[in-house]
Amino acid sequence: MIVDSVPAPVRSLANDAKDLCEGDFSYRVLVALLVGLFFGLPSLSAIVRSFTFVCSVSSLSRGIRAIPHEALLRRSRNKVAALIAAALHPERRFVLAIDDTLVRKFGASPENCYWFDHSSGKAAKGRNYLCFVVLDILTGHAYPVDAVLLRGTKHADYRPRIEVLKERLLVLKKAGFGALTLVADAWFSDKKLFEWLDDQGFDFEIEIRINRKLTYLDKKALGSVGEKGKMVYPSTSGVALTLKRNTAFSGGAPKQVAGGVVRLFGSSLRLKLAAVWNKDDDLSEKPFACYVTNRTGLCLTRIWALSRFRWGIECYFRAGKQDFSFDALPTESSDAAFRLVALGMFLYCNLELARHDPDARPMGKPERRRKYPPLTSHIKMLRRESEERTYVRSLVMKPARDAILSHLRGRREPGRSCLKPRDSARRQVERAA
């Protein structure tokens, strides 16, 4: 692939952030890195080889270390906060998803340590980023607004993950995200965190493990006297099996839900519990997931629906790694790697903001996917258009046209060809000949 023009969305975004360019982080470096992330290239050398308008590899390497990541993330937060403030009912349309993502690295850097990888169920070495993403319930768009690098226990700057989370949530609350419901998986199911969120005025809906102990259910004390006179409290799954189930519909396959107002062991905070089963599960089977929220007035179907919306942050992680190569550009410095991740979040957030629809309405999943396709599908179309425009422009030059024709007719070895035109460019060459 050889591209000699900057895609229009990237040029618009680079012009919008031109005031942040100074020193080694020049405008040319900004454009080159944004275009490299836009096309999902895995290395700096690939960026230099593929685009005729970029600088050298050494200039890009120096520019990565000078990325103003805090200013980029702050600018994204301000834009998303303004979008939320302009919405009619922002608390019904947007949620703030929290999750961590592991980027595998095996270098000697102290930030590279072992973390539990949920995808494989094993410990993996790498860097762990805690990310905050605003999800649009109506359109499925994801707007990354903040991230922080978590340190391992052996690192000199180690801080417990809950303390880091609290600090960033206060920053986001000050920026205008305090009214959104927080959604997260069981990695954040800590009763002290639940109490702190409630004290700070945050609404949350978080998954908990089915073995958590409960002391109260709808003002009824739970527990029994065990051996040696000690109180034994039932688990979440044990309590859920005694509750009446109802059918819940939230855009996917129907589920069975049951729940009530409970208190976790060692906590006085009242929470609404929602336990979820598949529709065909027997009455004796344990729920496959349980969720709690401090909004005790929510119905069980709404709690289950909010938990489904949380999957948008997982889709963002997959798109960032597989399609945009946020973590693929080689850099051993953790500071430089985080700056590059922040630049990728800035790109992703602004590309999603450009597709925002203020008049979106509730709709089913098939209709939503037709009207609001994933960002990766939209980006692939823009990439294809940019490549085709480049090839058509190159066909004007007779030497390039002859080289392409020679390659297409089998007169040269395909492996040594520097240009690999698409079928549309091939048809145009043949018509011109």
Side-chain angles (χ1 to χ4, degrees), residues 31-52:
V31 171
L33 292 177
L34 286 177
V35 173
L37 292 172
F38 182 84
F39 280 91
L41 298 184
S43 66
L44 300 181
S45 59
I47 294 177
V48 174
R49 289 195 305 267
S50 301
F51 307 111
T52 61

Side-chain angles (χ1 to χ4, degrees), residues 18 25 47 73 75 91 130 143 191 194 204 217 225 227 264 276 284 346 359 382 392 399 426:
K18 188 180 293 185
F25 188 66
I47 294 177
L73 292 176
R75 183 161 297 187
E91 71 282 356
L130 180 62
Y143 308 103
K191 59 185 177 184
F194 295 162
F204 62 85
L217 170 65
V225 179
E227 297 181 359
L264 297 178
V276 187
S284 60
F346 177 72
D359 301 323
L382 295 177
V392 170
R426 172 178 179 174

Side-chain angles (χ1 to χ4, degrees), residues 4 49 52 79 94 119 140 161 175-176 184 201-203 214 269 317 321 325 375 379 428:
D4 59 4
R49 289 195 305 267
T52 61
K79 290 183 178 181
F94 301 97
S119 60
R161 65 179 185 231
F202 287 103
D203 294 334
L214 302 181
L269 180 63
F317 290 151
K321 294 179 180 180
S325 300
L375 180 62
I379 294 302
Q428 185 165 356

Side-chain angles (χ1 to χ4, degrees), residues 225-285:
V225 179
E227 297 181 359
K228 299 181 181 180
K230 293 184 178 181
M231 290 296 299
V232 178
Y233 295 99
S235 64
T236 304
S237 60
V239 173
L241 290 175
T242 64
L243 302 176
K244 180 181 179 180
R245 304 183 191 180
N246 298 311
T247 304
F249 300 90
S250 62
K255 302 292 182 183
Q256 299 180 63
V257 295
V261 179
V262 301
R263 295 180 189 174
L264 297 178
F265 177 77
S267 175
S268 60
L269 180 63
R270 299 175 70 249
L271 301 171
K272 183 70 171 286
L273 169 69
V276 187
W277 295 262
N278 293 314
K279 185 179 179 181
D280 299 328
D281 287 348
D282 296 331
L283 295 178
S284 60
E285 291 190 28

Side-chain angles (χ1 to χ4, degrees), residues 96-109:
L96 179 61
I98 308 169
D99 204 356
D100 64 313
T101 180
L102 179 65
V103 178
R104 299 198 177 196
K105 294 286 183 180
F106 298 93
S109 174

Side-chain angles (χ1 to χ4, degrees), residues 1-63:
M1 180 182 67
I2 298 178
V3 178
D4 59 4
S5 62
V6 181
V10 177
R11 183 178 294 278
S12 175
L13 179 58
N15 292 337
D16 183 50
K18 188 180 293 185
D19 59 309
L20 302 178
C21 299
E22 58 182 8
D24 291 332
F25 188 66
S26 62
Y27 181 73
R28 292 187 64 189
V29 171
L30 171 63
V31 171
L33 292 177
L34 286 177
V35 173
L37 292 172
F38 182 84
F39 280 91
L41 298 184
S43 66
L44 300 181
S45 59
I47 294 177
V48 174
R49 289 195 305 267
S50 301
F51 307 111
T52 61
F53 50 83
V54 302
C55 40
S56 62
V57 173
S58 58
S59 299
L60 294 179
S61 181
R62 290 193 303 269

Side-chain angles (χ1 to χ4, degrees), residues 395 401 404-405 408 424-433:
L395 294 177
R401 184 178 64 211
I404 294 174
L405 281 172
L408 294 176
S424 59
R426 172 178 179 174
R427 289 193 295 269
Q428 185 165 356
V429 172
E430 292 176 346
R431 286 198 297 268

